[in-house]
Amino acid sequence: MLGGLVASPAQADDMAEIRAIHAEMRRLEAKVEQLEAHHGMSRGSQNVVAGRTLRSGPHTGGRAVYSAPSGQISAMPDLSQLTIGGPAMSDDAQAAAAAENTMTEAIIPAQAKLDLDSSSPLAITQTGVDSLPPVFRIGGVSVRLGGFIDFSNIYRSKNLTSGPATSWGSFPYANSPNAHTGEYRPSAQLTRLSVLLQGSPTKDETLSGYIETDFGGAAGTANSYQTNSYTPRIRQAYMTYSNTKWGFHVLAGQAWSLTTGYTQGLLSRHEQLPPVVDNNQIPGIVFTRVPQIRFIKDFGRKWWLGLSFEAPQVAYATSGSAGDHQMLSGGDTLASSGTTLLYGNAGSGMLNPNAKYSMDVAPDIVLKGALDTKPAHYEIYGLARWFKAMSQSSVPGSPIRERVSFAGGVGGDVTVHVIPRYLQFTGNVLAGQGIGRYGPAMLPDATFKANGTPAPIPEIIGSMGLIGHPTPNLLVYLYGGVESAGRRSYTGTDGYQYGYGVNDLALASCNVEQISGGSCDAQTHTIADLTVGGWWHVLQGGYGAVMTGVQYTYLRKFAYKGGDGTDPTTGGNTIYVTFRYLPFQ
């Protein structure tokens, strides 16, 4: 009845629904025929084709319909064959597709099985959407859905008032009352949904669009009193173009930075992310997730070269020095010289008005090369950054000057299949100046010189991990990571040190317990962690998959020693117990 009919745009939705209904009717007819055959009630002719019964009879309207062998029932219509807004599919074609997509009572073959053998399992670190069949098609574009429902129980030995993304650099010193009490925080904010759209203009070309979101946003009205109304946010949203003949790939949109490690190649959704629960990863992992445009060239899918231009932001260190002597006083004025600074502005338009955004002169640039071999994957890259501030001397009539500094570093990543399918080793490192934003501990990128010029801080970020697969349904991991910031300071005309990593601070109050929270101007030197955890794949079938995970992280934070000999340190424990339902897996 609908074969060959092309709908107008106004009728497209109705026609799609009609086609789906007709396909469901054919499925039910096929099931009726199967039940009749089982009870010896069939009245139509039968022919066996490829192990299935091809029937025609009064219930099929004269059309041939496949029914499944004994012990099976036919599945719901294969919506991947359903085309919306494009050439219509005939009733017979849809009925045949529906009857072909059969399932047993225990499992649907079309369901993609969870794969825990990878060092970065997609079902945990991403949403595994690439391994799933299309749900439906819009014209020539396939639509795949991925994601999971997450319920995480978080316990921290010190109160950070932090959601499921731990603020690793915020573990309090003894002067804070929060250092003497823990926190328990259950959350469903990590629940995630993804959509992958793909079309192929030619056999060598693929266009893709990927959107990934969770509920990690916290608008001004968000709270945990009654409704826990936390808001959706963009995790990733990008388009890609790939030409396999040329080995050329382009990405534009918000995605994981090219500084992030990869399990193989340099293509999106193959990032080497640790299989941890925390949405802020763990200290020592290198990453950002930012808007960018990226160009990738592969040479036989073995050698890879990538160039990425990524959205910049700078975090400045402006803490105090020598007790009451502050680096910045009277707003944004350098206490040592009286120089007035402008290095950021509050957001406007569609930016957060409560956040301060740095003044940026150019994108962060990443150039990376990678090599894939059978036993291992290797990467090396360089990072270039630029920091900008506006300054004006305290001398009356002085002009406003633009101050720009160059920063960046070099890094590398490796994944080694120590025992294929059973044990992998991963490691990453990034060293340079002004790279703090690329680590989960969020150490500062830069401080200032006496004349207001940004001064990038020397830093190193690194981690190592082991990922084991004792059984097909069990994954365990062990990680150690470190982030460390060096000194970048100067002595002012008043004889005090200013900048970052100074050693004349009065820090005795950092260790004095005060319910009101005393002053502590300690500057973080190093943050280190040890993390152990695992995932158990509990159930899998036509109903989806269920996983549960447990993770423990021990963290230590070390500050630069003060001029009074005080050496503040702190630390804490974080425990996650997580449950996930993956309906598409």
Side-chain angles (χ1 to χ4, degrees):
M1 182 169 66
L2 295 176
L5 180 61
V6 178
S8 66
Q11 298 173 319
D13 290 344
D14 289 341
M15 292 184 63
E17 184 175 358
I18 292 172
R19 288 195 296 269
I21 292 172
H22 274 276
E24 173 67 2
M25 291 171 61
R26 300 298 174 258
R27 183 193 71 82
L28 293 174
E29 289 176 349
K31 184 175 180 179
V32 169
E33 290 290 327
Q34 179 194 15
L35 293 173
E36 288 179 339
H38 181 71
H39 293 284
M41 298 167 58
S42 178
R43 298 187 297 270
S45 60
Q46 300 184 15
N47 293 292
V48 177
V49 179
R52 288 178 171 81
T53 304
L54 180 64
R55 302 180 183 277
S56 62
H59 295 286
T60 66
R63 288 185 286 268
V65 177
Y66 286 107
S67 64
S70 177
Q72 294 183 342
I73 61 172
S74 42
M76 292 295 290
D78 181 4
L79 295 182
S80 67
Q81 304 297 321
L82 177 60
T83 301
I84 301 175
M89 183 180 291
S90 69
D91 288 347
D92 289 341
Q94 290 195 59
E100 278 290 332
N101 187 25
T102 58
M103 66 177 179
T104 66
E105 294 178 353
I107 189 170
I108 302 177
Q111 292 285 116
K113 192 179 189 310
L114 275 176
D115 178 15
L116 298 184
D117 289 342
S118 168
S119 56
S120 185
L122 289 177
I124 298 172
T125 61
Q126 307 280 353
T127 59
V129 67
D130 290 80
S131 64
L132 301 170
V135 176
F136 60 90
R137 299 181 186 275
I138 303 175
V141 178
S142 66
V143 181
R144 291 176 168 84
L145 299 178
F148 46 75
I149 309 299
D150 181 280
F151 176 58
S152 294
N153 296 270
I154 310 152
Y155 171 78
R156 301 185 181 97
S157 61
K158 295 191 176 180
N159 185 15
L160 306 183
T161 318
S162 182
T166 303
S167 300
W168 300 110
S170 299
F171 272 75
Y173 293 103
N175 68 295
S176 170
N178 287 315
H180 306 283
T181 183
E183 69 171 332
Y184 166 64
R185 198 163 299 279
S187 176
Q189 287 179 267
L190 297 185
T191 295
R192 195 183 307 176
L193 177 66
S194 66
V195 180
L196 175 61
L197 311 170
Q198 288 183 313
S200 298
T202 69
K203 64 182 181 65
D204 299 317
E205 297 175 297
T206 301
L207 292 172
S208 299
Y210 183 70
I211 301 173
E212 183 180 279
T213 183
D214 63 11
F215 296 87
T221 56
N223 63 77
S224 296
Y225 288 108
Q226 190 173 56
T227 59
N228 283 256
S229 303
Y230 293 94
T231 53
R233 64 168 184 170
I234 294 176
R235 282 179 57 88
Q236 300 189 78
Y238 58 81
M239 63 191 85
T240 64
Y241 167 81
S242 290
N243 190 308
T244 55
K245 183 177 181 180
W246 299 342
F248 181 65
H249 317 271
V250 181
L251 179 149
Q254 179 163 309
W256 294 96
S257 167
L258 191 58
T259 59
T260 310
Y262 288 77
T263 57
Q264 58 182 2
L266 294 177
L267 298 183
S268 55
R269 299 187 301 282
H270 287 86
E271 290 82 8
Q272 174 61 278
L273 304 172
V276 298
V277 183
D278 199 293
N279 206 54
N280 200 23
Q281 307 294 327
I282 50 176
I285 301 299
V286 175
F287 80 95
T288 60
R289 215 170 43 239
V290 294
Q292 61 192 272
I293 183 166
R294 179 190 307 178
F295 305 93
I296 303 292
K297 177 69 174 74
D298 75 74
F299 302 88
R301 292 276 173 157
K302 181 177 181 180
W303 296 89
W304 301 76
L305 184 63
L307 178 64
S308 184
F309 301 89
E310 305 183 358
Q313 274 295 299
V314 185
Y316 289 100
T318 58
S319 57
S321 179
D324 294 333
H325 291 270
Q326 302 293 314
M327 183 177 188
L328 292 179
S329 63
D332 291 334
T333 301
L334 287 172
S336 61
S337 62
T339 300
T340 303
L341 295 178
L342 177 64
Y343 55 92
N345 294 284
S348 62
M350 297 180 70
L351 297 181
N352 184 357
N354 298 317
K356 201 167 186 178
Y357 295 81
S358 60
M359 303 178 70
D360 302 311
V361 63
D364 290 2
I365 300 178
V366 184
L367 178 64
K368 175 179 276 191
L371 170 64
D372 285 317
T373 66
K374 187 173 182 180
H377 170 82
Y378 308 93
E379 299 176 11
I380 187 169
Y381 62 92
L383 168 66
R385 308 190 68 198
W386 290 266
F387 304 158
K388 180 173 72 172
M390 309 298 292
S391 69
Q392 187 174 30
S393 170
S394 60
V395 177
S398 296
I400 298 174
R401 297 187 180 277
E402 183 179 82
R403 309 284 188 177
V404 178
S405 299
F406 175 78
V410 294
D413 299 86
V414 64
T415 301
V416 180
H417 302 283
V418 180
I419 305 177
R421 295 190 62 185
Y422 288 98
L423 181 66
Q424 288 100 25
F425 167 83
T426 70
N428 67 270
V429 65
L430 174 60
Q433 300 183 88
I435 58 174
R437 78 177 294 220
Y438 286 86
M442 290 302 293
L443 296 176
D445 293 305
T447 183
F448 295 100
K449 298 180 181 179
N451 65 356
T453 301
I457 297 171
E459 289 158 325
I460 185 168
I461 306 169
S463 74
M464 294 187 294
L466 290 172
I467 301 94
H469 316 277
T471 71
N473 292 333
L474 184 64
L475 178 146
V476 294
Y477 54 87
L478 173 67
Y479 275 88
V482 64
E483 298 184 34
S484 185
R487 300 181 185 274
R488 185 66 78 214
S489 62
Y490 65 92
T491 302
T493 56
D494 55 5
Y496 292 112
Q497 294 182 26
Y498 296 91
Y500 199 80
V502 301
N503 58 16
D504 63 350
L505 295 171
L507 301 178
S509 61
C510 295
N511 294 329
V512 178
E513 298 181 16
Q514 301 182 49
I515 192 65
S516 59
S519 172
C520 179
D521 292 327
Q523 297 176 324
T524 302
H525 184 318
T526 300
I527 292 179
D529 77 285
L530 181 67
T531 298
V532 60
W535 288 93
W536 178 32
H537 179 193
V538 182
L539 296 171
Q540 171 112 37
Y543 40 78
V546 176
M547 302 189 72
T548 183
V550 177
Q551 176 181 313
Y552 167 76
T553 296
Y554 174 71
L555 180 129
R556 292 299 298 174
K557 183 168 77 169
F558 304 89
Y560 277 99
K561 182 179 293 187
D564 55 5
T566 305
D567 191 8
T569 62
T570 187
N573 308 289
T574 299
I575 299 174
Y576 270 82
V577 178
T578 302
F579 303 92
R580 282 183 182 173
Y581 171 49
L582 300 93
F584 305 108
Q585 294 285 347

